[in-house]
Amino acid sequence: MSRAAFTVKAFGAYLIVLGAVLIVLPNVLLSVFGFPATTEVWIRVVGVVVFDLGLGYWFAAQADARPFFFATVYGRCFALVAFTAFALLGFISPMLVLFGAVDFAGGMWTLLALKAERRAA
């Protein structure tokens, strides 16, 4: 497995776990980040989407789908930009920017691995 594939697989694992927690124990995660408990189904719906994305990352890594790896870099960087803008506009709690920061860090990890592999080739 290439280094870039490993970064994407690791991020996929993170998304799978995060999605599963949002589906099964959403209020535990919400309380950790200082959000009020909810009985709304939407947090679980988001969990399903996150879990599904994680599966996509996992299997793309298995297939060494390099174009997908590059696409994830843009998407994960956009998450930080979007969450920061939403927080500045007062739409969301600034705590959600932490999730965008994790996405951004994962994207940079993948980008660095892709660049290192390109130099080595």
Side-chain angles (χ1 to χ4, degrees):
M1 174 179 296
S2 70
R3 287 173 38 188
F6 178 79
T7 70
V8 171
K9 192 171 192 175
F11 198 76
Y14 158 74
L15 291 175
I16 289 167
V17 170
L18 177 60
V21 171
L22 288 171
I23 293 165
V24 178
L25 299 167
N27 288 323
V28 171
L29 186 65
L30 291 174
S31 69
V32 167
F33 288 95
F35 294 106
T38 185
T39 57
E40 292 283 331
V41 72
W42 295 110
I43 193 74
R44 295 176 196 272
V45 171
V46 169
V48 170
V49 173
V50 170
F51 186 89
D52 287 349
L53 283 170
L55 290 175
Y57 275 65
W58 184 275
F59 285 100
Q62 292 289 101
D64 201 29
R66 297 179 69 72
F68 178 80
F69 300 167
F70 281 102
T72 71
V73 171
Y74 292 105
R76 292 185 275 169
C77 290
F78 177 71
L80 177 60
V81 171
F83 291 172
T84 300
F86 293 162
L88 291 172
L89 292 168
F91 297 157
I92 63 171
S93 166
M95 287 299 288
L96 281 177
V97 176
L98 291 175
F99 286 94
V102 170
D103 283 14
F104 180 81
M108 291 299 98
W109 184 28
T110 299
L111 180 63
L112 292 172
L114 287 165
K115 286 184 175 187
E117 290 170 4
R118 189 179 303 164
R119 281 192 303 267

